[in-house]
Coordinates of all heavy atoms in Angstrom, one line a residue:
I12 N 24.6 -13.9 -198.4 CA 23.9 -13.3 -197.3 C 23.3 -14.4 -196.5 O 22.6 -15.2 -197.1 CB 22.9 -12.3 -197.8 CG1 23.5 -11.2 -198.6 CG2 22.1 -11.7 -196.6 CD1 22.6 -10.2 -199.2
Y13 N 23.6 -14.4 -195.2 CA 23.0 -15.5 -194.4 C 22.7 -14.9 -193.0 O 23.3 -13.9 -192.6 CB 23.9 -16.7 -194.3 CG 25.2 -16.4 -193.7 CD1 25.5 -16.6 -192.3 CD2 26.3 -16.0 -194.5 CE1 26.7 -16.4 -191.8 CE2 27.5 -15.7 -193.9 CZ 27.8 -15.9 -192.6 OH 29.0 -15.7 -192.0
K14 N 21.9 -15.6 -192.2 CA 21.6 -15.2 -190.9 C 22.6 -15.8 -190.0 O 23.0 -17.0 -190.1 CB 20.2 -15.6 -190.4 CG 19.7 -14.9 -189.2 CD 18.3 -15.1 -189.0 CE 17.8 -14.4 -187.8 NZ 16.4 -14.4 -187.6
R15 N 23.2 -15.1 -189.0 CA 24.2 -15.6 -188.1 C 23.7 -16.8 -187.3 O 22.6 -16.7 -186.7 CB 24.6 -14.5 -187.1 CG 25.7 -15.0 -186.2 CD 26.0 -14.0 -185.1 NE 26.5 -12.7 -185.6 CZ 27.8 -12.4 -185.6 NH1 28.7 -13.3 -185.2 NH2 28.2 -11.3 -186.0
P16 N 24.4 -17.9 -187.4 CA 23.9 -19.1 -186.7 C 24.3 -19.0 -185.2 O 25.1 -18.2 -184.8 CB 24.7 -20.3 -187.3 CG 25.9 -19.6 -187.8 CD 25.5 -18.2 -188.2
K17 N 23.6 -19.8 -184.4 CA 23.8 -19.8 -182.9 C 25.1 -20.6 -182.7 O 25.3 -21.7 -183.3 CB 22.6 -20.4 -182.2 CG 22.7 -20.3 -180.7 CD 21.4 -20.7 -180.2 CE 21.6 -21.7 -179.1 NZ 20.3 -22.1 -178.4
N18 N 26.0 -20.1 -181.9 CA 27.2 -20.8 -181.5 C 26.9 -22.1 -180.8 O 25.9 -22.2 -180.0 CB 28.0 -19.8 -180.7 CG 29.4 -20.4 -180.4 OD1 29.7 -21.5 -180.6 ND2 30.3 -19.5 -179.9
A19 N 27.7 -23.1 -181.0 CA 27.5 -24.4 -180.3 C 27.6 -24.3 -178.8 O 27.1 -25.0 -178.1 CB 28.4 -25.4 -180.9
M20 N 28.4 -23.3 -178.4 CA 28.7 -23.1 -176.9 C 27.7 -22.1 -176.3 O 27.9 -21.7 -175.2 CB 30.1 -22.7 -176.7 CG 31.1 -23.6 -177.2 SD 31.1 -25.2 -176.4 CE 31.5 -24.8 -174.8
Q21 N 26.7 -21.7 -177.1 CA 25.8 -20.6 -176.7 C 24.5 -21.2 -176.4 O 23.9 -21.9 -177.1 CB 25.8 -19.6 -177.8 CG 24.9 -18.4 -177.6 CD 24.9 -17.6 -178.9 OE1 25.7 -17.8 -179.8 NE2 24.1 -16.5 -178.9
S22 N 23.9 -20.8 -175.2 CA 22.6 -21.2 -174.8 C 21.6 -20.1 -175.1 O 20.4 -20.4 -175.3 CB 22.5 -21.7 -173.4 OG 22.8 -20.6 -172.5
G23 N 22.0 -18.9 -175.1 CA 21.1 -17.7 -175.3 C 21.0 -17.4 -176.8 O 21.4 -18.2 -177.7
K24 N 20.3 -16.4 -177.1 CA 20.0 -16.0 -178.4 C 20.6 -14.6 -178.8 O 20.1 -13.9 -179.6 CB 18.5 -16.0 -178.7 CG 17.9 -17.3 -178.5 CD 16.4 -17.3 -178.8 CE 15.8 -18.7 -178.6 NZ 14.4 -18.7 -178.8
A25 N 21.7 -14.3 -178.2 CA 22.4 -13.0 -178.5 C 23.0 -13.1 -179.9 O 23.6 -14.0 -180.3 CB 23.4 -12.7 -177.4
L26 N 22.8 -12.0 -180.6 CA 23.4 -11.8 -181.9 C 22.9 -12.7 -183.0 O 23.5 -12.8 -184.1 CB 25.0 -11.9 -181.9 CG 25.7 -10.9 -180.9 CD1 27.2 -11.2 -180.9 CD2 25.4 -9.5 -181.3
V27 N 21.9 -13.5 -182.8 CA 21.4 -14.5 -183.8 C 20.4 -13.8 -184.7 O 20.0 -14.4 -185.7 CB 20.8 -15.7 -183.2 CG1 21.8 -16.6 -182.5 CG2 19.6 -15.4 -182.3
D28 N 20.1 -12.5 -184.5 CA 19.1 -11.8 -185.3 C 19.9 -11.0 -186.4 O 19.2 -10.3 -187.1 CB 18.2 -10.9 -184.5 CG 18.9 -10.0 -183.6 OD1 20.2 -10.1 -183.4 OD2 18.3 -9.0 -183.1
Q29 N 21.2 -11.1 -186.5 CA 22.0 -10.3 -187.4 C 22.1 -11.1 -188.8 O 22.1 -12.3 -188.8 CB 23.4 -10.1 -186.9 CG 23.5 -9.1 -185.8 CD 24.9 -8.8 -185.4 OE1 25.8 -9.6 -185.8 NE2 25.1 -7.8 -184.7
W30 N 22.1 -10.3 -189.8 CA 22.4 -10.9 -191.2 C 23.8 -10.5 -191.6 O 24.2 -9.4 -191.4 CB 21.3 -10.4 -192.1 CG 20.0 -11.0 -191.9 CD1 19.0 -10.6 -191.0 CD2 19.5 -12.2 -192.6 NE1 18.0 -11.5 -191.1 CE2 18.2 -12.4 -192.1 CE3 20.0 -13.0 -193.6 CZ2 17.4 -13.5 -192.5 CZ3 19.2 -14.0 -194.0 CH2 17.9 -14.3 -193.5
I31 N 24.5 -11.4 -192.2 CA 25.9 -11.2 -192.5 C 26.0 -11.3 -194.1 O 25.4 -12.1 -194.7 CB 26.8 -12.4 -191.9 CG1 26.5 -12.5 -190.4 CG2 28.2 -12.1 -192.2 CD1 26.9 -11.4 -189.6
L32 N 26.8 -10.3 -194.6 CA 27.2 -10.3 -196.0 C 28.7 -10.6 -196.1 O 29.5 -9.9 -195.5 CB 26.8 -9.0 -196.7 CG 27.1 -8.9 -198.2 CD1 26.0 -8.1 -198.8 CD2 28.4 -8.3 -198.5
E33 N 29.0 -11.8 -196.7 CA 30.4 -12.1 -196.9 C 30.7 -12.3 -198.3 O 29.9 -12.8 -199.1 CB 30.7 -13.5 -196.2 CG 30.9 -13.4 -194.7 CD 31.3 -14.8 -194.1 OE1 31.1 -15.8 -194.8 OE2 31.8 -14.8 -193.0
F34 N 31.9 -12.0 -198.7 CA 32.3 -12.1 -200.1 C 32.8 -13.5 -200.4 O 33.5 -14.1 -199.5 CB 33.3 -11.1 -200.5 CG 32.8 -9.7 -200.5 CD1 33.0 -8.8 -199.4 CD2 32.1 -9.2 -201.6 CE1 32.5 -7.6 -199.5 CE2 31.6 -8.0 -201.6 CZ 31.8 -7.1 -200.6
V35 N 32.5 -14.1 -201.5 CA 33.0 -15.4 -201.9 C 34.5 -15.3 -202.3 O 34.9 -14.3 -202.9 CB 32.2 -15.9 -203.1 CG1 32.7 -17.2 -203.6 CG2 30.7 -16.0 -202.8
P36 N 35.3 -16.2 -201.8 CA 36.8 -16.1 -202.1 C 37.0 -16.1 -203.6 O 36.5 -16.9 -204.4 CB 37.3 -17.4 -201.5 CG 36.3 -17.8 -200.5 CD 35.0 -17.4 -201.0
A37 N 37.9 -15.2 -204.1 CA 38.2 -15.1 -205.5 C 39.3 -16.1 -205.9 O 39.4 -16.5 -207.0 CB 38.6 -13.7 -205.8
E38 N 40.1 -16.5 -204.9 CA 41.2 -17.4 -205.2 C 41.4 -18.3 -204.0 O 41.0 -18.0 -202.9 CB 42.5 -16.7 -205.5 CG 43.1 -15.8 -204.4 CD 44.3 -15.1 -204.7 OE1 44.3 -14.4 -205.7 OE2 45.3 -15.3 -204.0
A39 N 41.9 -19.5 -204.3 CA 42.1 -20.5 -203.2 C 43.3 -20.1 -202.3 O 44.2 -19.4 -202.8 CB 42.4 -21.8 -203.9
K40 N 43.3 -20.6 -201.1 CA 44.4 -20.3 -200.2 C 45.5 -21.3 -200.5 O 45.2 -22.4 -200.9 CB 43.9 -20.5 -198.7 CG 43.0 -19.4 -198.3 CD 42.7 -19.6 -196.8 CE 41.7 -18.5 -196.4 NZ 41.5 -18.5 -195.0
K41 N 46.7 -20.8 -200.3 CA 47.9 -21.7 -200.5 C 48.8 -21.6 -199.4 O 48.9 -20.6 -198.7 CB 48.6 -21.3 -201.9 CG 48.8 -19.9 -202.0 CD 49.3 -19.6 -203.4 CE 49.3 -18.1 -203.6 NZ 48.5 -17.5 -204.6

Side-chain angles (χ1 to χ4, degrees):
I12 298 172
Y13 62 94
K14 194 168 185 176
R15 180 189 294 265
K17 190 169 129 178
N18 188 345
M20 300 298 294
Q21 178 180 355
S22 63
K24 295 183 180 176
L26 303 177
V27 295
D28 56 346
Q29 290 183 344
W30 286 84
I31 309 294
L32 184 139
E33 281 185 342
F34 292 98
V35 176
E38 63 182 56
K40 291 186 178 184
K41 47 190 172 239

